[in-house]
Amino acid sequence: MKRTIAPACCQATCKQSGDRPRRPWVSPASATVLSAAVTPSTAPPITFPPQWTNEVKPQPLLVAFGNPLLDITAVVKDRGLHDEFQLPVDGQLEITDQQRALFSLVMKKYPVEYTAGGCALNSSRVFCWVLGEPERVVFVGGIGKDEQANKLSAIIKDSGVVTRFVDVEDQPTGMCVALVLGACRCLCADIGAANVCEPHHVFNLNLFPVLEPAKFVYVEGYFITHSFRTTLQIAKYAQKKGKTFVFNLCGSYVCENHPNELAELLPYVDILFGFVEEYKTLDKFVDIQKVSSNLKNNPNNITHDILQVLRAIKGEEKIIKDNVKYVCEELREVAKLDSLKISDTGNHLHHKDRVDTNGTTTGLCNGMINGHGCDSLCPVNDRKQKLVVVTKGPNPLLYVHSHEVRERPVPPISPKDIVDTTGAGDSFVGGFLAALSTGQPLDKCLDCGTWTAQKLLQQKGCTLPTFPATFLSQD
């Protein structure tokens, strides 16, 4: 069955935002770009600090679940392929059986670049790059047993991400062809094996050794379109173990087509990410007020904060502006700013909002209160302070913390420096979580997300930069 999303016009706002409307399956991600003439084994590895090369492997901080795809990018000169396969010039779709021949045709007749794709996979690789440490994130998703799987695995290997793929015998590895015509992209996906991830693929002896020590668990929104039962069990597991459960809406498609699943899942979320248009769609298709009412309007549940931000988006809620002024366009200046300064009408972010390196805090996402851990008696976890983040491209982002809706400016970036907007939203998530995992205060986590996204805007195809990330190392 063909699923389409409204074409994404190439507007100046999108180009600056890094939040180009995303396809309903995934956003491309890559640490290494391979041309047709380059084999995976020759791809240059990312360099990590030497202290990690000969020591015992560190325990993972983050386990991420999503749709792994092999992205295939081809630059075309005309609309020949679009007309032949009835494709939009600028848009996203899942291919039909009649369109499947597109993949082999593109790989045979066009110079192509192979990259690793997937919202969660993108965020995972960015997490490793920002952190500067390999093997601190584990990615889980379904993959076939074919040549495409070998290519994808080879690309991922040098990024520092540990994989625990679900091997699917009877389905091909998911792929996405990106036809680039000028400033427009037509994204055609065949999810294939990425559709498969059952609960027994997660809760087993293979994954437990990496799942147990991790303090953060992240699920991309597209994952619930095929593996909701698995996602819900992951969320409940995170609650029971006192782990921070992170969820990304990923696309308006998820909110529009899976409202019941979101209504059931959101009460378990500790940190929620999404682009402003996704929140608007969420507001339209999911009755968050009813969900919150079913929880007795508990102010400690994230649905309370989601309601606040939805009202703020509509201009019905007070927004407190963070008093931050960026003195230049160089994003490294973000890290040099003093701690967040807030107007007299709001609270200050003190030490209580600093995250310990084990992933918990005495404020943000604390799994323990007064010595009491999360227990199975609670239908949802209301013992952690929640966080809702709304990205708005080049415009100030919104976030809700401690029941206050706040607005934080985004440093300007020159349009001439923007190469590709693909996956910038996922990069924000990766940068934020990397900072969070190292015990940074909330303001620095937000700024790290912005810094990271804007660095990736300057890369082709959302590939990781060849230079080391410096945000977390700056004073």
Side-chain angles (χ1 to χ4, degrees):
M1 174 177 159
K2 182 175 179 181
R3 291 185 290 199
T4 62
I5 297 298
C9 298
C10 303
Q11 302 175 5
T13 299
C14 280
K15 290 184 178 182
Q16 284 204 37
S17 71
D19 280 293
R20 179 188 180 92
R22 288 172 282 186
R23 54 187 185 247
W25 344 276
V26 69
S27 296
S30 173
T32 307
V33 179
L34 302 176
S35 68
V38 179
T39 61
S41 60
T42 62
I46 294 176
T47 302
F48 292 104
Q51 65 265 29
W52 295 103
T53 56
N54 298 315
E55 295 184 0
V56 177
K57 293 181 179 180
Q59 291 186 329
L61 295 168
L62 170 70
V63 178
F65 297 83
N67 298 342
L69 300 183
L70 179 66
D71 283 347
I72 305 167
T73 302
V75 178
V76 296
K77 297 181 179 179
D78 54 44
R79 297 180 49 168
L81 287 176
H82 301 80
D83 295 337
E84 179 179 353
F85 291 95
Q86 298 181 329
L87 305 173
V89 173
D90 198 64
Q92 312 88 22
L93 56 85
E94 276 185 56
I95 64 166
T96 63
D97 290 339
Q98 292 73 26
Q99 296 168 318
R100 190 159 281 110
L102 172 70
F103 290 86
S104 58
L105 181 62
V106 168
M107 289 185 285
K108 181 179 180 179
K109 292 191 174 182
Y110 291 84
V112 299
E113 291 180 342
Y114 295 101
T115 60
C119 286
L121 185 54
N122 187 12
S123 297
S124 297
R125 309 182 83 173
V126 169
F127 182 98
C128 273
W129 177 68
V130 174
L131 200 62
E133 302 174 10
E135 302 181 358
R136 304 307 299 273
V137 56
V138 177
F139 175 82
V140 182
I143 195 172
K145 289 190 172 182
D146 48 26
E147 180 183 352
Q148 286 72 31
N150 295 333
K151 287 182 179 179
L152 182 57
S153 298
I155 295 172
I156 296 172
K157 182 178 180 180
D158 292 327
S159 70
V161 174
V162 176
T163 56
R164 289 292 186 272
F165 286 131
V166 175
D167 294 323
V168 182
E169 297 279 354
D170 58 348
Q171 294 193 44
T173 297
M175 294 190 295
C176 178
V177 165
L179 301 179
V180 180
L181 178 60
C184 297
R185 287 182 176 233
C186 176
L187 307 173
C188 311
D190 182 5
I191 299 176
N195 273 311
V196 180
C197 190
E198 298 296 329
H200 69 269
H201 293 135
V202 175
F203 301 102
N204 57 57
L205 295 179
N206 179 50
L207 197 56
F208 265 130
V210 295
L211 191 57
E212 282 289 298
K215 303 302 178 182
F216 302 91
V217 179
Y218 172 53
V219 177
E220 67 173 63
Y222 300 134
F223 193 75
I224 73 169
T225 66
H226 54 76
S227 297
F228 175 70
R229 190 164 63 98
T230 304
T231 304
L232 192 60
Q233 290 196 25
I234 292 170
K236 292 180 178 180
Y237 165 82
Q239 171 192 299
K240 182 177 180 180
K241 296 293 184 177
K243 301 178 186 298
T244 297
F245 182 63
V246 185
F247 187 72
N248 187 355
L249 293 175
C250 282
S252 295
Y253 164 85
V254 178
C255 304
E256 182 175 350
N257 291 276
H258 300 273
N260 295 333
E261 290 88 341
L262 287 173
E264 188 173 358
L265 178 67
L266 286 175
Y268 292 92
V269 174
D270 297 313
I271 302 177
L272 179 65
F273 293 101
F275 183 53
V276 62
E277 295 302 324
E278 295 158 9
Y279 280 96
K280 290 179 180 179
T281 307
L282 178 72
D283 192 23
K284 183 178 180 180
F285 289 93
V286 182
D287 191 345
I288 299 296
Q289 180 64 68
K290 181 179 179 180
V291 176
S292 182
S293 296
N294 290 339
L295 297 168
K296 299 181 179 180
N297 295 313
N298 184 350
N300 295 320
N301 188 270
I302 199 169
T303 54
H304 179 275
D305 292 345
I306 295 174
L307 282 172
Q308 283 188 282
V309 83
L310 294 180
R311 288 194 295 265
I313 291 172
K314 293 182 290 187
E316 300 172 355
E317 181 83 10
K318 178 182 178 181
I319 299 176
I320 302 173
K321 295 185 177 182
D322 291 352
N323 185 20
V324 177
K325 294 182 180 179
Y326 298 102
V327 296
C328 70
E329 292 187 6
E330 287 297 320
L331 296 180
R332 60 176 175 269
E333 293 296 326
V334 176
K336 297 178 181 178
L337 294 171
D338 295 333
S339 296
L340 180 62
K341 299 177 182 177
I342 298 175
S343 62
D344 294 336
T345 57
N347 296 327
H348 290 264
L349 292 176
H350 295 299
H351 178 75
K352 66 181 180 68
D353 294 298
R354 181 174 292 278
V355 184
D356 300 329
T357 55
N358 68 357
T360 63
T361 71
T362 55
L364 178 64
C365 302
N366 185 5
M368 303 286 288
I369 288 189
N370 297 327
H372 299 289
C374 301
D375 56 63
S376 58
L377 298 178
C378 300
V380 293
N381 188 352
D382 59 3
R383 300 186 177 189
K384 295 181 182 179
Q385 203 167 70
K386 312 303 181 181
L387 177 68
V388 178
V389 180
V390 183
T391 58
K392 301 172 66 179
N395 300 312
L397 62 83
L398 297 177
Y399 66 100
V400 183
H401 181 55
S402 298
H403 310 309
E404 291 181 337
V405 181
R406 311 195 67 88
E407 182 181 86
R408 190 164 184 83
V410 172
I413 179 172
S414 173
K416 66 180 178 61
D417 292 331
I418 298 174
V419 176
D420 195 339
T421 63
T422 302
D426 302 326
S427 300
F428 178 95
V429 174
F432 179 98
L433 293 178
L436 184 64
S437 72
T438 61
Q440 304 301 323
L442 177 56
D443 59 318
K444 192 166 184 179
C445 293
L446 292 167
D447 288 342
C448 186
T450 299
W451 181 90
T452 304
Q454 294 193 345
K455 289 300 182 188
L456 269 293
L457 284 173
Q458 301 176 58
Q459 299 293 124
K460 182 181 179 181
C462 197
T463 57
L464 296 181
T466 56
F467 54 85
T470 58
F471 187 93
L472 295 180
S473 63
Q474 298 185 41
D475 296 329

